[in-house]
Amino acid sequence: MSSVNIGKQHPTVYKGLVKLDAEVKSALDLAGVDPLLVELVKIRVSQLNGCAFCLRMHTRDSLAKGEKADRLAVVAAWWEAQYFSDQERAAFALAEQVTGLAVPERRTWDDGSLTEDQVSAISWLAIVMNAWNRVAITSHYPVAP
């Protein structure tokens, strides 16, 4: 057996993740997190997890929402680029901490640029994005041109 689509194998569990994703989106909206920042965090978490399916999807979503290709090109090395605001940098560092990978070192995110609601909402975003990445990778979602 090369792969199992775990969403199809256990659709009730998958629907629970869809519901959690919707709750996280609501929390992000209520916390006033910019929709472009949401997509950037999804991209960064997907980079860390090596999820090609989610990278392609959220890169396209970012571009459709008006994100610039130059910024997308440097998300993987955000700490070296001057393209990102303090709030975006804090969100990236927080998402990396939640994802649990040091890239290349743990970054300080608590600089006061995120409200408590935003810290919570972005943490949940990273958690749900990690879950989606694992579903896509485990199920071998196709990534073709």
Side-chain angles (χ1 to χ4, degrees):
M1 178 180 341
S2 62
S3 68
V4 172
N5 184 320
I6 63 175
K8 289 182 180 176
Q9 190 67 30
H10 288 97
T12 303
V13 178
Y14 184 87
K15 288 176 187 172
L17 184 55
V18 170
K19 184 176 180 185
L20 175 61
D21 189 65
E23 292 292 330
V24 170
K25 183 186 180 316
S26 177
L28 290 159
D29 290 344
L30 289 172
V33 179
D34 186 309
L36 281 177
L37 178 54
V38 170
E39 293 302 326
L40 291 173
V41 169
K42 289 177 179 182
I43 289 167
R44 183 63 188 134
V45 170
S46 298
Q47 288 172 337
L48 294 169
N49 288 321
C51 184
F53 180 86
C54 292
L55 280 167
R56 181 183 63 177
M57 176 172 49
H58 295 295
T59 297
R60 289 177 177 176
D61 290 349
S62 292
L63 290 167
K65 290 178 180 174
E67 187 55 80
K68 304 290 184 240
D70 278 356
R71 284 171 39 100
L72 291 173
V74 296
V75 169
W78 61 267
W79 59 92
E80 290 189 19
Q82 289 70 48
Y83 284 94
F84 304 106
S85 69
D86 288 344
Q87 187 177 68
E88 289 166 332
R89 291 171 175 277
F92 287 143
L94 175 58
E96 287 178 2
Q97 179 177 316
V98 171
T99 300
L101 300 175
V103 181
E105 62 197 37
R106 188 160 312 277
R107 310 242 182 278
T108 301
W109 59 267
D110 191 7
D111 64 0
S113 62
L114 298 171
T115 67
E116 287 185 4
D117 278 347
Q118 290 172 333
V119 169
S120 179
I122 291 168
S123 294
W124 278 109
L125 172 62
I127 290 165
V128 78
M129 200 61 225
N130 276 288
W132 281 122
N133 289 165
R134 281 150 178 79
V135 169
I137 292 167
T138 301
S139 299
H140 299 281
Y141 283 9
V143 180

